C-alpha cells in the first residue's frame, strides 16, 4: 500500500479541524447502533474509562477562529474568556446534538460553572464535573480520586447499559499507552527537527486526536512520522521556543503559524495536555482504577490548574521541558481572561528570570484575527534571542 | 454626608471594635498568624491552636473602602499581574508592595502559615501560591471538592476530614506548638451553632414588610463576625444577641431597614441580589438603592462564607471534623448552578421580592460565570423580572455610577410596569 504524503495527512487533519459539526465522530457513532459519544473539555479526563465503555471520547475545545458566536454572547459577560461562549454556541446550534454526555474537568471556575449550565440546559444529557485531587498522597487524594473514578465508571455503565470490566479498562489503558508513546515521539521528532515538523502540522495532528478513535489517531501519527521523515524540508535560522498557556482555550491556527513565520520554532507546548498528561505508561494489569489514580498522583504533568505542594518544585516541569527540548526561550500566550494561565504566569516568569531564560508574553482569544502585532513581537523576540545567544 | 454623620447601630460599633481588636492581635507579634479565606474559613480550628486569623479578602475590602485599593492594584499590574485577573489578589499583592500596612496603621507580620482553603473559588489556589512565593512560609492545601451534583457525597466529606487530620491539623500543631484538643474544638463549634441560630433568625426577618434590615448592604455588616475571625467565640454570640435585640426593637417600632442616613422612609421595592457588592463605592452604590426605596431582602453574598438558612446547616459539636467538612462543602459558590438557582428562586418567592438583581463582578468568575443563565432561570421559576448590572470588587476603574444608576432606574420602572399590568 502506498504510504501517505505529509500533505495528504495534514489535509485530512485540517478537514477534521475545520469541521465544527464533528462529522468523523458522527460517522463513528452512526456506524453501529447503540454507540455513544462523550465530550470532554480541557485539561484532563481519563479517556481510558470512556473507551473501555465502548464510547468515543470527543475533545471539545471551543468553536475556533471562524465560528460566528451569535447566541453564546448572551450567556457570558464580555470579561469572561471565549471558550465557554463558543462551546455553548456549538451546543445551541446543534453541533453537539449527537454527544451523549459531557465532562467538565476541574480547570477553573468558568469551566466548572459551564457544567452547571449544561445541567440546566441539557437535562437529558449525562453531565459530569470531573474533580481531580489537589492532594497527592495515596491515602488522602488517592482514595478520593479512586472513588471519583469509580463514580465516573458507574455513571458511564449506566449510560452504556452494561458493566465496564477491569479487563476492558486494562485493554484501553494499553491502547492509550501506545497513543501517548506516539504523541511523545511526534513531540520528540519536532523538537529534534522542527523544520521537518512545523508546529501547525503537529497541532493539527493532535487536534485530529480529539475527534478520531484513539487507534486511528495512533495510526495517523505513525504515518505522519514516516511521511515527515521522507520529506526533508529546509532548515531555517529560527530560534527554538516553548509555548505556554494554550492548555484550554485554543490559539487560532494562524497564531501558531505566525510564530513560526516570525522566526520561532515551537519545540514544546502545553496544548491538548490530555494526550500526554500521564508521564509514564500506566500498568495494563492489576486494578486499573488504582493504576490510573497512581499515575495521576505521581506521574502527571504540571499545569496552572494543578496545585504544586512543594514551593521548590514549582516551575520545574517547565524548566525541565525547556532543557529537554532545547528551547532558547518561552512564549507565554494566554487566552484573555484566563485565570489559571494569567495567575500562574508571574510565578513562571520569576523562575525564567532566575534561570536567565528569555520570554515574552502575549494574549489571544480563539478568534483573534490580527496577527501582524504577534508576528512583530515574536520576530523581535527571535532576533533578540539570536543576538543574545551569539554574545 | 460626612463619615461623622453616618448613622451606626450599637452592633455596628461593637463589630468595628471587634475587627480592630483582631487587627491589633494580628499585628502585635504576640500570636502566630495564619492567612486564610472567608469561604471555608476554619476559624474554630485556628482557635484551637491560638492562631490569629488574617483574611486577605477582608484586607482588600478594607483598603477599597478607604479608597486605597486602586493604587495597590495598579502597583501589582506594574509588576506583571494581568489586568484580567481577580482584583482581590492584586490589591493584596499591591498592599505587600506598599509596605503591607494593616488597617490599624501597623505593618502586617509575615504569616506563620497559609491555610489554603480551596473552597468554591479557583483563584484561591493561585492566590496563595503567589503569596507563598513572597512569604515562603508553611502552606497547607485543604481541597474542598465542588458539590457538582447539588449535594456533597460521602467521598468528598471523607476526603476533607482526612486532609484535616493528616495535613491541616499536624501543620497547625507544628506552627503553634499546641497539641490538638478535639474537645476544645467541640466547645467552639457549640458556640458557633448558637451564633448561627441568631444569624438565621436575623436573615429571616426580612420576610417581614417592611423589612427591618437590608440583607445585602446591611447584610455585609451582619455577616462580618460569623464569616471572619469570630465564629466560635463568645464575642460572636454576644454580637448576634445584640443584633437580634436591635432588630426586634425595629420590628416593634415598625421600622424599615436602617441606612447610613437613618431609617429608610418607604420600602417601594424588595429585591433579591446575587453577587458580591462593589466595595470602592460601597456607600454610593447603597445610596442608589435606598434613595429609590429599594431594600434587599435576601442576597447570595450573605452566604459566601457559609450557607445556614437553605438547608439548615449548623456546626455540630458531636461530629466536629465532619461538620467542618460539611460547612466547607456547603459554601454558596461551592454549590452547582441549579442549586444556586433554586436558592435564589426560593428567596424571591419566600421573601416576596419583586425580582432578582445580579451584580456581576468582573473579577469573580466563581460567582459571575453563568449568571446570565441563572437570571433567566430564576425569572422562569418565579415570573418576576431580573436585571443585570456590572461592577467590580475593589477596582475603582470598573464602577460606573451613571451606568449602574441608569440600569437600576430602568429596572424599577420595569417592576412598576409589571405591577400596573398585574393590578
Amino acid at each position: 500500500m502506498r504510504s501517505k504524503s505529509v500533505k495528504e495527512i495534514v489535509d485530512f487533519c485540517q478537514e477534521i479541524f475545520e469541521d465544527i459539526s464533528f462529522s468523523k465522530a458522527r460517522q463513528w457513532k452512526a456506524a453501529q447502533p447503540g454507540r455513544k459519544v462523550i465530550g470532554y473539555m480541557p485539561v484532563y479526563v481519563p479517556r481510558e474509562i470512556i473507551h473501555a465503555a465502548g464510547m468515543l471520547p470527543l475533545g471539545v475545545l471551543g468553536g475556533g477562529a471562524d465560528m460566528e458566536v451569535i447566541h453564546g454572547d448572551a450567556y457570558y459577560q464580555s470579561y469572561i474568556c471565549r471558550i465557554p461562549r463558543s462551546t455553548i454556541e456549538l451546543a445551541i446550534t446543534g453541533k453537539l446534538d449527537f454527544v451523549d454526555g459531557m465532562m467538565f474537568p476541574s480547570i477553573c471556575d468558568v469551566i466548572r460553572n459551564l457544567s452547571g449550565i449544561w445541567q440546566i440546559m441539557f437535562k437529558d444529557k449525562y453531565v459530569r464535573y470531573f474533580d481531580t485531587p489537589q492532594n497527592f498522597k495515596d491515602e488522602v487524594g488517592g482514595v478520593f480520586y479512586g472513588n471519583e473514578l469509580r463514580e465516573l465508571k458507574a455513571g458511564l455503565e449506566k449510560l452504556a447499559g452494561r458493566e465496564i470490566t477491569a479487563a476492558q479498562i486494562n485493554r484501553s489503558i494499553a491502547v492509550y499507552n501506545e497513543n501517548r508513546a506516539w504523541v511523545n515521539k511526534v513531540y520528540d521528532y519536532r523538537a529534534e527537527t522542527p523544520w521537518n515538523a512545523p508546529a501547525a502540522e503537529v497541532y493539527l495532528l493532535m487536534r485530529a486526536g480529539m475527534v478520531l478513535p484513539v487507534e486511528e489517531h495512533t495510526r495517523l501519527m505513525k504515518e505522519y512520522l514516516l511521511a515527515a521523515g521522507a520529506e526533508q524540508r529546509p532548515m531555517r535560522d529560527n530560534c527554538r521556543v516553548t509555548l505556554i498557556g494554550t492548555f484550554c482555550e485554543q490559539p487560532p491556527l494562524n497564531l501558531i503559524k505566525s510564530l513560526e513565520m516570525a522566526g520561532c520554532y515551537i519545540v514544546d507546548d502545553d496544548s491538548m495536555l490530555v494526550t500526554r498528561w500521564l508521564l509514564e505508561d500506566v500498568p495494563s494489569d492489576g486494578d486499573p482504577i488504582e493504576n490510573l489514580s497512581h499515575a495521576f498522583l505521581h506521574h502527571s504533568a504540571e499545569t496552572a490548574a494543578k496545585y504544586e505542594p512543594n514551593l521548590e518544585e514549582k516551575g520545574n516541569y517547565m524548566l525541565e521541558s525547556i532543557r529537554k527540548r532545547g528551547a532558547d526561550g518561552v512564549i507565554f500566550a494566554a487566552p484573555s481572561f484566563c485565570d489559571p494561565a494569567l495567575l500562574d504566569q508571574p510565578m513562571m516568569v520569576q523562575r525564567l528570570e532566575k534561570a536567565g531564560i528569555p520570554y515574552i508574553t502575549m494574549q489571544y482569544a480563539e478568534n483573534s484575527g490580527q496577527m501582524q502585532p504577534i508576528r512583530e513581537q515574536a520576530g523581535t523576540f527571535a532576533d533578540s534571542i539570536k543576538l543574545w545567544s551569539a554574545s | 454626608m460626612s463619615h461623622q454623620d453616618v448613622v451606626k447601630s450599637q452592633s455596628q460599633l461593637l463589630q468595628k471594635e471587634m475587627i480592630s481588636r483582631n487587627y491589633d492581635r494580628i499585628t502585635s507579634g504576640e500570636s502566630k498568624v495564619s492567612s486564610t479565606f472567608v469561604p471555608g474559613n476554619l476559624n474554630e480550628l485556628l482557635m484551637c491552636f491560638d492562631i490569629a486569623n488574617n483574611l486577605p479578602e477582608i484586607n482588600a475590602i478594607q483598603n477599597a473602602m478607604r479608597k486605597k485599593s486602586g493604587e495597590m492594584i495598579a502597583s501589582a499590574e506594574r509588576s506583571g499581574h494581568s489586568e484580567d485577573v481577580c482584583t482581590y489578589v492584586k490589591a493584596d499583592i499591591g498592599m505587600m508592595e506598599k509596605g503591607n500596612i494593616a488597617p490599624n496603621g501597623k505593618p502586617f507580620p509575615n504569616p506563620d502559615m497559609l491555610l489554603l482553603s480551596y473552597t468554591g473559588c479557583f483563584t484561591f489556589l493561585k492566590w496563595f501560591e503567589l503569596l507563598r512565593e513572597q512569604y515562603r512560609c508553611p502552606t497547607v492545601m485543604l481541597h474542598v471538592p465542588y458539590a457538582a451534583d447539588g449535594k456533597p457525597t460521602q467521598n468528598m466529606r471523607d476526603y476533607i476530614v482526612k486532609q484535616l487530620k493528616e495535613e491541616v491539623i499536624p501543620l497547625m500543631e507544628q506552627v503553634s506548638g499546641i497539641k490538638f484538643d478535639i474537645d476544645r474544638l467541640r466547645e467552639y463549634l457549640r458556640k458557633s451553632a448558637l451564633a448561627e441560630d441568631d444569624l438565621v433568625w436575623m436573615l429571616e426577618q426580612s420576610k417581614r414588610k417592611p423589612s427591618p434590615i437590608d440583607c445585602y448592604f446591611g447584610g455585609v455588616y451582619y455577616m462580618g463576625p460569623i464569616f471572619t475571625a469570630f465564629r466560635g467565640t463568645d464575642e460572636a454570640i454576644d454580637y448576634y444577641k445584640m443584633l437580634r435585640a436591635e432588630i426586634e426593637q425595629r420590628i416593634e417600632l415598625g421600622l424599615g431597614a436602617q441606612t447610613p442616613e437613618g431609617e429608610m422612609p418607604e420600602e417601594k421595592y424588595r429585591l433579591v441580589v446575587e453577587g458580591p457588592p462593589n466595595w470602592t463605592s460601597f456607600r454610593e452604590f447603597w445610596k442608589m438603592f435606598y434613595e429609590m426605596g429599594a431594600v434587599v431582602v435576601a442576597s447570595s453574598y450573605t452566604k459566601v462564607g457559609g450557607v445556614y438558612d437553605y438547608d439548615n446547616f449548623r456546626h455540630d459539636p458531636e461530629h466536629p471534623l465532619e461538620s467542618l467538612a460539611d460547612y466547607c462543602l456547603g459554601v454558596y459558590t461551592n454549590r452547582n448552578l441549579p442549586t444556586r438557582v433554586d436558592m435564589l428562586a426560593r428567596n424571591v418567592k419566600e421573601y416576596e421580592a419583586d425580582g432578582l438583581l445580579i451584580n456581576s463582578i468582573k473579577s469573580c468568575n466563581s460567582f459571575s460565570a453563568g449568571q446570565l443563565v441563572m437570571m433567566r432561570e430564576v425569572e422562569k421559576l418565579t415570573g418576576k423580572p431580573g436585571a443585570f448590572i456590572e461592577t467590580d470588587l475593589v477596582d475603582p476603574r470598573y464602577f460606573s455610577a451613571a451606568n449602574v444608576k441608569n440600569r437600576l432606574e430602568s429596572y424599577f420602572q420595569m417592576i412598576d410596569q409589571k405591577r400596573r399590568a398585574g393590578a
Side-chain angles (χ1 to χ4, degrees):
Chain A
M1 200 174 84
R2 183 184 74 86
S3 51
K4 287 178 189 158
S5 68
V6 167
K7 185 174 184 318
E8 282 171 310
I9 295 166
V10 172
D11 284 351
F12 174 74
C13 295
Q14 177 99 31
E15 203 181 311
I16 294 172
F17 171 72
E18 287 171 1
D19 175 15
I20 53 172
S21 289
F22 304 102
S23 304
K24 289 280 175 200
R26 287 175 187 271
Q27 285 160 16
W28 178 89
K29 184 173 175 172
Q32 244 180 60
R35 278 185 166 177
K36 295 213 159 37
V37 176
I38 301 292
Y40 64 88
M41 295 201 70
V43 174
Y44 170 73
V45 298
R47 296 185 294 176
E48 292 86 345
I49 300 176
I50 305 169
H51 182 265
M55 300 174 185
L56 178 72
L58 174 73
V60 177
L61 279 72
D66 298 326
M67 189 178 77
E68 194 182 355
V69 170
I70 298 164
H71 309 281
D73 284 338
Y75 288 80
Y76 284 100
Q77 303 89 314
S78 56
Y79 49 76
I80 289 175
C81 57
R82 176 150 159 127
I83 186 169
R85 72 189 73 226
S86 66
T87 303
I88 277 283
E89 184 83 17
L90 287 172
I92 292 171
T93 53
K95 294 181 177 64
L96 297 173
D97 55 1
F98 68 105
V99 174
D100 302 281
M102 275 292 284
M103 290 180 66
F104 300 88
S106 51
I107 176 169
C108 72
D109 294 331
V110 172
I111 300 300
R112 183 196 74 179
N113 287 6
L114 186 57
S115 72
I117 292 185
W118 233 261
Q119 287 169 327
I120 289 170
M121 292 181 59
F122 307 104
K123 291 190 169 71
D124 57 329
K125 303 281 186 185
Y126 171 76
V127 179
R128 176 90 191 166
Y129 173 75
F130 184 67
D131 217 346
T132 49
Q134 300 288 0
N135 176 296
F136 305 98
K137 289 186 179 164
D138 291 300
E139 68 281 10
V140 185
V143 172
F144 166 73
Y145 188 49
N147 288 330
E148 289 295 299
L149 290 176
R150 283 179 202 98
E151 256 187 45
L152 168 67
K153 177 174 154 295
L156 293 175
E157 281 172 337
K158 198 171 160 199
L159 191 65
R162 69 163 174 87
E163 190 195 350
I164 306 169
T165 66
Q168 284 166 337
I169 305 178
N170 276 331
R171 272 200 294 280
S172 298
I173 285 174
V175 168
Y176 276 94
N177 280 345
E178 192 195 7
N179 183 263
R180 209 178 305 111
W182 283 94
V183 168
N184 287 331
K185 281 181 193 178
V186 171
Y187 269 70
D188 289 345
Y189 180 74
R190 179 177 68 171
E192 282 159 20
T193 53
W195 54 92
N196 251 3
E201 286 184 8
V202 171
Y203 179 79
L204 289 171
L205 190 60
M206 297 305 150
R207 280 297 293 258
M210 299 293 101
V211 178
L212 295 173
V214 59
E215 299 85 351
E216 202 179 324
H217 182 233
T218 303
R219 275 199 301 278
L220 196 64
M221 288 189 289
K222 289 178 187 174
E223 288 170 349
Y224 176 79
L225 283 179
L226 197 68
E231 290 181 23
Q232 289 304 314
R233 289 181 256 188
M235 184 171 81
R236 290 186 192 171
D237 183 25
N238 282 3
C239 70
R240 299 163 61 88
V241 300
T242 292
L243 183 64
I244 294 179
T246 62
F247 50 82
C248 184
E249 180 173 321
Q250 294 300 286
L253 188 60
N254 273 344
L255 187 147
I256 296 169
K257 287 180 179 169
S258 296
L259 295 180
E260 285 205 336
M261 281 167 62
C264 300
Y265 280 137
I266 298 170
V267 294
D268 206 353
D269 61 62
D270 60 359
S271 186
M272 289 168 276
L273 277 176
V274 67
T275 59
R276 54 197 186 287
W277 178 259
L278 301 179
L279 304 175
E280 293 183 8
D281 273 357
V282 183
S284 54
D285 54 4
D287 182 338
I289 297 295
E290 291 302 318
N291 289 336
L292 283 169
S293 170
H294 189 268
F296 181 92
L297 295 178
H298 304 296
H299 309 294
S300 59
E302 185 187 306
T303 185
K306 191 174 146 190
Y307 179 60
E308 172 49 66
N310 185 353
L311 174 62
E312 305 308 323
E313 288 293 319
K314 178 85 190 166
N316 282 353
Y317 180 82
M318 170 188 72
L319 294 173
E320 174 55 20
S321 142
I322 292 166
R323 191 200 59 76
K324 184 180 159 197
R325 303 290 189 203
D328 303 310
V330 170
I331 295 180
F332 289 101
S336 294
F337 306 108
C338 175
D339 281 338
L342 293 169
L343 286 162
D344 208 50
Q345 198 171 287
M347 292 181 272
M348 296 294 117
V349 159
Q350 209 178 50
R351 276 142 185 89
L352 292 181
E353 285 177 349
K354 197 173 165 198
I357 298 167
Y359 65 89
I360 51 170
T361 65
M362 55 179 68
Q363 281 184 218
Y364 67 85
E366 62 180 9
N367 64 337
S368 294
Q370 180 57 267
M371 290 301 148
Q372 187 55 29
I374 301 270
R375 270 200 293 273
E376 281 170 14
Q377 194 186 358
T380 309
F381 184 55
D383 290 345
S384 75
I385 282 180
K386 280 180 253 168
L387 281 169
W388 174 78
S389 300
S391 63
Chain B
M1 175 176 266
S2 73
H3 279 279
Q4 284 74 25
D5 300 331
V6 171
V7 176
K8 284 192 170 148
S9 64
Q10 282 304 307
S11 62
Q12 275 178 303
L13 295 172
L14 173 63
Q15 185 179 165
K16 201 175 169 191
E17 197 187 305
M18 289 159 72
I19 291 170
S20 296
R21 266 206 310 275
N22 192 50
Y23 276 120
D24 287 343
R25 183 180 174 213
I26 291 167
T27 53
S28 69
E30 288 165 11
S31 299
K32 298 284 181 185
V33 175
S34 172
S35 289
T36 191
F37 296 109
V38 168
N41 166 5
L42 302 178
N43 194 54
E44 300 90 341
L45 199 58
L46 288 165
M47 284 165 61
C48 289
F49 301 93
D50 297 333
I51 299 174
N53 184 348
N54 186 16
L55 298 149
E57 301 112 302
I58 304 295
N59 300 338
I61 291 169
Q62 294 277 346
N63 284 323
M65 293 180 97
R66 290 168 165 80
K67 311 284 180 200
K68 291 178 176 172
S69 57
E71 185 41 44
M72 290 169 175
I73 291 164
S75 170
E77 287 177 1
R78 281 194 297 272
S79 64
H81 294 269
S82 168
E83 201 180 310
D84 288 357
V85 300
C86 173
T87 50
Y88 272 166
V89 178
K90 287 183 288 186
D92 195 24
I93 286 167
M95 182 177 76
M96 265 194 265
E97 290 170 353
K98 292 185 167 298
N100 228 4
I101 303 299
N104 63 0
K106 295 173 187 164
F108 276 116
N110 285 355
D112 298 284
M113 66 175 283
L114 299 172
L115 170 54
L116 202 181
S117 53
Y118 179 45
T119 308
C121 168
F122 171 79
T123 296
F124 287 168
L125 191 162
K126 294 287 114 185
W127 188 345
F128 271 17
E129 279 192 341
L130 284 161
L131 291 199
R132 184 178 63 175
E133 302 271 309
Q134 300 298 317
Y135 295 126
R136 308 188 83 81
C137 64
T139 304
V140 65
M141 152 69 80
L142 176 68
H143 175 202
V144 176
Y146 183 57
D149 291 325
K151 284 198 175 114
T153 64
Q154 191 59 42
N155 187 37
M156 295 173 182
R157 190 174 290 122
D158 292 346
Y159 176 42
I160 297 171
V161 169
K162 218 176 267 183
Q163 290 176 82
L164 290 173
K165 282 182 181 168
E166 298 189 22
E167 307 277 357
V168 178
I169 291 172
L171 182 65
M172 288 179 176
E173 285 183 327
Q174 185 196 314
V175 165
S176 66
I178 294 171
K179 186 124 187 65
F180 176 55
D181 175 359
I182 200 157
D183 290 327
R184 194 172 166 190
L185 178 62
R186 284 182 212 277
E187 181 55 19
Y188 294 142
L189 294 179
R190 192 186 60 74
K191 290 180 183 177
S192 295
L194 283 176
E196 286 159 359
D197 281 343
D198 276 341
L199 174 93
V200 171
W201 178 88
M202 179 273 291
L203 288 173
E204 291 182 342
Q205 297 317 301
S206 50
K207 286 179 183 168
R208 295 172 185 271
K209 289 184 180 176
S211 170
I213 53 168
D214 182 286
C215 243
Y216 187 52
F217 299 103
V220 299
Y221 292 102
Y222 307 145
M223 305 311 293
I226 212 103
F227 283 180
T228 58
F230 305 98
R231 207 182 54 233
T233 65
D234 289 322
E235 287 168 293
I237 295 174
D238 293 344
Y239 168 83
Y240 284 102
K241 271 190 191 147
M242 181 187 276
L243 178 64
R244 183 171 179 152
E246 282 173 2
I247 295 170
E248 278 170 342
Q249 197 183 15
R250 300 185 71 77
I251 294 166
E252 219 168 279
L253 298 171
L255 296 173
Q258 188 194 340
T259 76
E261 295 183 55
E263 310 306 332
M264 202 166 124
E266 188 193 1
E267 179 182 290
K268 284 170 74 181
Y269 307 102
R270 295 168 64 85
L271 304 177
V272 171
V273 173
E274 147 78 9
N278 164 270
W279 299 105
T280 53
S281 302
F282 185 80
R283 282 274 156 74
E284 188 182 0
F285 192 27
W286 190 354
K287 193 171 181 171
M288 289 178 195
F289 286 71
Y290 64 75
E291 278 192 341
M292 292 189 243
V295 64
V296 180
V297 291
S299 70
S300 55
Y301 193 64
T302 49
K303 300 164 182 35
V304 72
V307 175
Y308 298 100
D309 56 345
Y310 180 67
D311 32 25
N312 290 318
F313 169 80
R314 298 288 183 280
H315 282 92
D316 177 5
E318 298 307 312
H319 305 95
L321 297 182
E322 295 76 7
S323 179
L324 290 177
D326 285 339
Y327 156 70
C328 291
L329 284 161
V331 160
Y332 180 73
T333 49
N334 203 51
R335 295 175 183 243
N336 69 351
L337 261 50
T339 307
R340 283 169 60 181
V341 165
D342 182 56
M343 215 181 276
L344 293 167
R346 274 166 58 171
N347 280 167
V348 170
K349 286 177 190 165
E350 290 172 11
Y351 288 72
E352 296 184 62
D354 294 299
L356 172 72
L357 173 75
I358 294 182
N359 181 33
S360 187
I361 293 291
K362 175 188 173 283
S363 271
C364 185
N365 286 336
S366 179
F367 262 104
S368 301
Q371 279 176 330
L372 285 157
V373 175
M374 288 171 65
M375 183 176 76
R376 288 195 285 271
E377 283 300 299
V378 173
E379 282 180 333
K380 257 194 270 174
L381 290 167
T382 63
K384 303 282 184 182
F388 209 81
I389 53 177
E390 295 182 351
T391 69
D392 188 50
L393 295 166
V394 293
D395 191 336
R397 292 172 297 186
Y398 295 100
F399 185 82
S400 167
N403 280 346
V404 171
K405 199 163 187 201
N406 272 345
R407 287 207 180 190
L408 286 176
E409 282 170 352
S410 304
Y411 183 44
F412 295 138
Q413 281 168 14
M414 189 184 4
I415 291 172
D416 287 339
Q417 276 169 8
K418 279 241 172 194
R419 280 182 185 162
R420 280 196 296 273

